[in-house]
Amino acid sequence: MPAALMPRDEVVERLMKVIRRHGYDGASLAELSKATGLGRSSLYHHFPDGKDDMVRAVLEQLEQGLRTLIFEPLREPRPARRRLEQMIKTVDAYYDGGREACVIGNLVLGTSRTRFHARLRAIFEEWIDAVAAALLDAGVSRAESRALAEDAVVRMEGALIVAHGTGDTAVFSRTLKRIGADLVAAVGPG
Amino acid sequence: MPAALMPRDEVVERLMKVIRRHGYDGASLAELSKATGLGRSSLYHHFPDGKDDMVRAVLEQLEQGLRTLIFEPLREPRPARRRLEQMIKTVDAYYDGGREACVIGNLVLGTSRTRFHARLRAIFEEWIDAVAAALLDAGVSRAESRALAEDAVVRMEGALIVAHGTGDTAVFSRTLKRIGADLVAAVGPG
DNA sequence: GTCTATAATAGGATAGAC
DNA sequence: GTCTATCCTATTATAGAC
């Protein structure tokens, strides 16, 4: 038998997919096992503390992915407007136009509500800070930057919920447009 | 033994409390039983199809409650501005300033994602329609009324998620303020 | 309409061979 | 590092007495 059939990243990616769809409480070991192709015991070998360890790995990888795809690009030396517009596009792709559920949302609700509080809080904060940084660069006041950034993140999360609740992914697209418009209005045509 | 120790409404209210906190997958019959004071068998007597029946009852009662508390007041013959401001206040109280989780959000995620689609969709639509109606009354165009109403609902849902994720209920208050400001700006001082 | 008792199953977790 | 086999607990659901 090979030492590792799959890189760890790929295993964690598949765990994420299940948690994203079924949530913490709904994600059974049976499904996590099926999705990764690893037996229960193998999963426990890699994640001794069971589901909690898996979720921690998922959150770490998610955070790393968001940093690369979204947070860091928001701080690149380009016009703020470009950076913000790119974030919108990346988010749209990341959630497949509103068809994919939100990992974070799933972990915030249900019985996992408080279990991963610290890391979830960190992710939200990083996201808000990164958006606010781009706004600040464009000369928007600190207070307004923070308010706009928080509002953007709030709207993205909410749009995913409403899109799923109504079965209408267009809600997500429309919301992203609104967010983009508000951010661009704040930074100006730069 | 008395025929009914508790009115059905009260039973359903307690079921709602559990589902709100634990979600569909996390709400076990043991807890639902404890919360209502009814044994498992009694629960099955009232809700033969188990948890699904309970959730259906919860959603019916939720919809009825929202109608009375929020949707109908939004259509009362008063200045639109007053109606919208009252909605904000009622929502703030209903979610206890962001401390209470959202029943709908919990049912939209996890394995119950698609199970109650129709009713969840109906609730979201009713809410958006009611807000849009108030805006229309104030002379806001149909398209803008719809967009603003959708955005308001999206933001409320999102704020509940972010407030729980960060542990910072102030996000909810700030978001409600933003929603109120945008709605009032659209209808004017009337 | 409620209860106790019980069935049947799914879930999480571990032991030990390979 | 992975597997098969197993254990234990929690969970859903039902039967039948009162």
Side-chain angles (χ1 to χ4, degrees), chain B residues 27-29 40-41 44 51:
Chain B
S28 68
L29 284 189
R40 280 154 218 257
S41 297
Y44 276 100
K51 252 206 288 193

Side-chain angles (χ1 to χ4, degrees), chain B residues 129-147:
Chain B
D129 284 350
V131 175
L135 292 165
L136 268 173
D137 284 353
V140 180
S141 77
R142 186 164 291 275
E144 205 192 333
S145 293
R146 175 89 199 165

Side-chain angles (χ1 to χ4, degrees), chain A residues 97-151:
Chain A
R99 269 170 292 277
E100 284 288 350
C102 180
V103 192
I104 303 174
N106 261 303
L107 293 172
V108 163
L109 297 173
T111 64
S112 56
R113 204 163 21 107
T114 56
R115 207 167 300 179
F116 311 103
H117 220 195
R119 203 169 291 271
L120 291 173
R121 183 190 182 102
I123 293 177
F124 276 125
E125 286 301 327
E126 264 189 90
W127 199 324
I128 292 171
D129 285 350
V131 175
L135 292 165
L136 268 173
D137 285 352
V140 179
S141 78
R142 187 164 290 276
E144 204 190 335
S145 293
R146 175 86 200 171
L148 276 165
E150 180 179 278
D151 191 47

Side-chain angles (χ1 to χ4, degrees), chain A residues 21-23 25-26 101-102 105-106 108-111 113 117 120-121 124-125 128 146-147 150-151 153-155 157-168 170-171 174-175 178 182, chain B residues 21-23 25-26 101-102 105-106 108-111 113 117 120-121 124-125 128 146-147 150-151 153-155 157-168 170-171 174-175 178 182:
Chain A
R21 288 185 72 85
H22 297 87
D25 299 302
C102 180
N106 261 303
V108 163
L109 297 173
T111 64
R113 204 163 21 107
H117 220 195
L120 291 173
R121 183 190 182 102
F124 276 125
E125 286 301 327
I128 292 171
R146 175 86 200 171
E150 180 179 278
D151 191 47
V153 172
V154 161
R155 275 164 146 174
E157 285 298 326
L160 288 172
I161 298 283
V162 177
H164 279 86
T166 60
D168 175 20
V171 176
R174 288 193 293 266
T175 300
R178 270 178 225 127
D182 283 0
Chain B
R21 288 184 72 84
H22 298 88
D25 298 302
C102 179
N106 261 304
V108 162
L109 297 172
T111 63
R113 203 163 22 106
H117 219 199
L120 291 173
R121 183 192 182 98
F124 277 125
E125 287 301 327
I128 293 171
R146 175 89 199 165
E150 181 179 277
D151 192 46
V153 172
V154 160
R155 276 164 146 174
E157 286 296 327
L160 288 171
I161 299 283
V162 177
H164 278 86
T166 60
D168 175 19
V171 176
R174 288 193 292 265
T175 300
R178 272 178 224 125
D182 283 2

Side-chain angles (χ1 to χ4, degrees), chain B residues 9-22:
Chain B
D9 281 12
E10 177 60 24
V11 171
V12 175
E13 203 61 34
R14 295 187 181 198
L15 295 174
M16 193 177 331
K17 216 168 183 171
V18 176
I19 289 163
R20 205 174 196 180
R21 288 184 72 84
H22 298 88

Side-chain angles (χ1 to χ4, degrees), chain B residues 174-189:
Chain B
R174 288 193 292 265
T175 300
L176 287 185
K177 263 201 187 136
R178 272 178 224 125
I179 296 170
D182 283 2
L183 293 176
V184 164
V187 302

